[in-house]
Amino acid sequence: MTAPLHIAPAHGKLGVLLVGLGAVSTTTIAGVYAIRKGLAQPIGSLTQMGTIRLGKRTESRTPRIKDFVPLASLDDIVFGGWDIFEADCYSAARTAGVLEPAQLEQVRGELEAVRPMPAVFDQRYVKRLAGPNVKTGKNKRDLAEQLVADIRGFKEKHGCDRLVMVWCGSTEVYMKQTAVHATVASFEKGLDESDDSIPSSMIYAYAALREGIPFANAAPNLTADIPAMLELASRTKAPLAGNDMKTGQTLIKTIIAPGLKARLLGVKGWYSTNILGNRDGEVLDDPESFKTKEESKKSALDYIFQPQLYPELYKDLCHVVRINYYPPRGDNKEGWDNIDLVGWLGYPMQLKINFLCRDSILAAPIVLDSALFLDLAKRCGMSGIQEWLSFYYKAPMHAPELYPEHDLFIQLMKLKNTLRYMQGEELITHLGREYYD
């Protein structure tokens, strides 16, 4: 065992600022209020329901994670955020149609109190959306300063001791790094010049990191995963996590693919198609936004299967991803996977999966856990990329010289070992020789 890290106490209020008060955000907020009132269970939340083994298996020490590390209490969370529509959180949740009206009525007062601040939004980056509740400014630097003013005003108004920001907005058009993203200085010059390579999400990330606020990117956008943001996070000691929440189909892939690889079963093809009808589906109906999502969804199998190490099994894998906007389905997404396998002596097999999931129901606990764990990281003095939170993301942030770890079970081991490290507990390798020597 080693000495535990110094963790600042979680006293006072934690402000959770969400960018985009759409289906995911409103489901998260309504869920937290319902849980606080004892009306529901936090199913899917590792911070609230997960346990962690400490020491040897014979010691029977398995506390809840929230009892092991000093996470902020759900009772201390204050929600706020920005949206391009003016509706309060209750009205927005009714429009999203994820939760039953009767359930929303039980937390109506709390939801109506959450009203969005005007958003930084540029339709060039999300072509299928438009709304009236949008900031104007002389340039992108001006817009960033307005966000900083919003952040400071929210903190003061609600008496928050600490803040966390999570981008829950729509998927922006596909972008690659340019010279403007290289340093904080070049980025700030780009803000002054309203450079086209700086989308709305980057302006939010810049505002948060400049204030030293932990930031998570729940979409696949090129947002905080650029050198300028990493430099700024280092300077202000702000933790970062992302990208793109691992909810439906990719969650299943990161569960199934490690098992196939562990048994060294070959995979010739993996065809994935999604049907969804919410705002996310409408945005992804635009080819440029779909390209961003496609890159995020397709990367996981490449890293899990490691075709460069197992060319006989995975070198010629045909991986196809389709997303179809189908309005009648609403937030109830359907993911179809057809997997063509190869077994002993080259004999073919197939695995077919039909996951009828609820996108925002799967996403809400990730938003909550990301906020609570990032706040914990900040209080531990940890800054920059928090790779131990890869467990929650499709395209996890990682150091430039590393490949990302996509295996869900390795990610979970890494997350729990990080919590053990924080508290000075022995890391668990699962070697197990001590029971037999």
Side-chain angles (χ1 to χ4, degrees):
M1 296 177 66
T2 59
L5 300 182
H6 172 71
I7 307 176
H11 297 326
K13 295 180 180 179
L14 172 65
V16 177
L17 294 169
L18 304 178
V19 185
L21 295 184
V24 170
S25 294
T26 56
T27 303
T28 303
I29 296 169
V32 169
Y33 287 138
I35 293 161
R36 276 172 21 176
K37 286 186 165 185
L39 302 172
Q41 292 293 319
I43 296 172
S45 169
L46 194 65
T47 62
Q48 303 306 301
M49 300 192 79
T51 61
I52 183 168
R53 186 191 122 200
L54 305 177
K56 296 180 179 180
R57 281 181 276 168
T58 51
E59 295 178 31
S60 299
R61 288 195 297 146
T62 315
R64 288 280 179 102
I65 287 173
K66 66 178 182 178
D67 297 325
F68 175 60
V69 290
L71 297 172
S73 167
L74 297 191
D75 292 332
D76 294 331
I77 292 178
V78 181
F79 287 105
W82 299 264
D83 199 83
I84 63 174
F85 300 106
E86 297 170 332
D88 62 52
C89 195
Y90 172 77
S91 298
R94 289 292 300 263
T95 300
V98 178
L99 302 177
E100 295 295 329
Q103 194 170 33
L104 291 175
E105 287 298 323
Q106 295 177 303
V107 290
R108 180 170 182 168
E110 293 90 337
L111 294 178
E112 287 180 334
V114 181
R115 302 194 66 88
M117 295 175 277
V120 171
F121 179 77
D122 188 329
Q123 199 175 24
R124 292 178 299 167
Y125 303 105
V126 185
K127 296 181 179 180
R128 297 296 171 92
L129 290 185
N133 198 36
V134 176
K135 295 185 188 300
T136 58
K138 62 182 181 181
N139 56 25
K140 292 182 178 180
R141 166 83 79 161
D142 186 13
L143 295 174
E145 296 299 338
Q146 291 182 49
L147 289 179
V148 169
D150 287 346
I151 291 167
R152 293 175 180 177
F154 180 89
K155 185 177 183 181
E156 181 178 358
K157 177 182 178 181
H158 295 280
C160 297
D161 293 78
R162 310 172 314 282
L163 298 173
V164 174
M165 186 187 294
V166 183
W167 171 276
C168 295
S170 298
T171 299
E172 295 172 327
V173 298
Y174 184 69
M175 301 187 74
K176 292 185 177 181
Q177 286 188 27
T178 68
V180 76
H181 303 137
T183 67
V184 174
S186 64
F187 187 85
E188 291 179 335
K189 183 173 182 288
L191 288 173
D192 291 330
E193 297 173 351
S194 293
D195 193 294
D196 288 343
S197 295
I198 299 178
S200 305
S201 63
M202 285 187 189
I203 301 175
Y204 280 99
Y206 169 80
L209 298 179
R210 210 182 80 182
E211 292 294 289
I213 296 171
F215 180 86
N217 179 23
N221 316 324
L222 181 67
T223 298
D225 209 354
I226 57 173
M229 296 301 177
L230 300 183
E231 179 188 343
L232 186 58
S234 176
R235 184 185 300 176
T236 63
K237 307 301 181 187
L240 285 169
N243 302 294
D244 201 9
M245 290 183 296
K246 184 158 46 184
T247 51
Q249 194 169 64
T250 307
L251 172 64
I252 296 301
K253 284 182 178 177
T254 59
I255 293 171
I256 298 296
L260 299 176
K261 182 188 174 188
R263 286 296 308 271
L264 295 176
L265 294 172
V267 180
K268 286 296 183 185
W270 197 310
Y271 184 93
S272 302
T273 187
N274 292 266
I275 302 170
L276 70 163
N278 57 11
R279 188 192 297 184
D280 194 33
E282 184 177 7
V283 168
L284 294 174
D285 206 33
D286 171 59
E288 292 186 68
S289 289
F290 170 71
K291 174 68 173 174
T292 307
K293 176 68 77 170
E294 182 183 34
E295 291 296 315
S296 172
K297 289 172 75 70
K298 291 185 74 171
S299 63
L301 292 186
D302 294 335
Y303 288 109
I304 291 174
F305 285 138
Q306 296 178 296
Q308 74 279 11
L309 300 181
Y310 303 94
E312 308 94 328
L313 301 177
Y314 310 115
K315 176 169 162 270
D316 298 320
L317 170 64
C318 177
H319 185 197
V320 178
V321 175
R322 296 286 182 265
I323 299 177
N324 297 302
Y325 178 47
Y326 182 56
R329 195 55 57 91
D331 199 68
N332 295 330
K333 184 167 69 176
E334 184 167 0
W336 288 87
D337 287 272
N338 179 84
I339 309 165
D340 287 285
L341 307 174
V342 179
W344 182 251
L345 304 181
Y347 276 78
M349 297 174 283
Q350 288 190 12
L351 175 61
K352 297 182 186 295
I353 303 168
N354 183 23
F355 188 21
L356 287 85
C357 61
R358 294 174 178 260
D359 214 30
S360 298
I361 295 297
L362 291 167
I366 297 179
V367 175
L368 174 63
D369 284 3
S370 293
L372 294 180
F373 277 141
L374 282 172
D375 175 59
L376 175 66
K378 174 76 174 181
R379 289 185 284 112
C380 284
M382 301 167 71
S383 62
I385 296 171
Q386 303 300 301
E387 195 186 2
W388 59 286
L389 298 181
S390 295
F391 177 71
Y392 296 108
Y393 294 98
K394 289 188 184 81
M397 296 181 71
H398 55 93
E401 66 274 12
L402 299 178
Y403 65 84
E405 183 55 71
H406 280 274
D407 184 315
L408 186 76
F409 305 100
I410 294 175
Q411 291 173 335
L412 182 60
M413 188 186 305
K414 185 179 184 70
L415 188 155
K416 290 189 174 183
N417 266 338
T418 301
L419 299 179
R420 295 182 184 104
Y421 164 75
M422 289 177 177
Q423 294 290 54
E425 288 281 345
E426 181 181 358
L427 305 188
I428 292 180
T429 65
H430 300 284
L431 180 64
R433 285 303 312 162
E434 68 272 17
Y435 303 111
Y436 302 98
D437 290 340

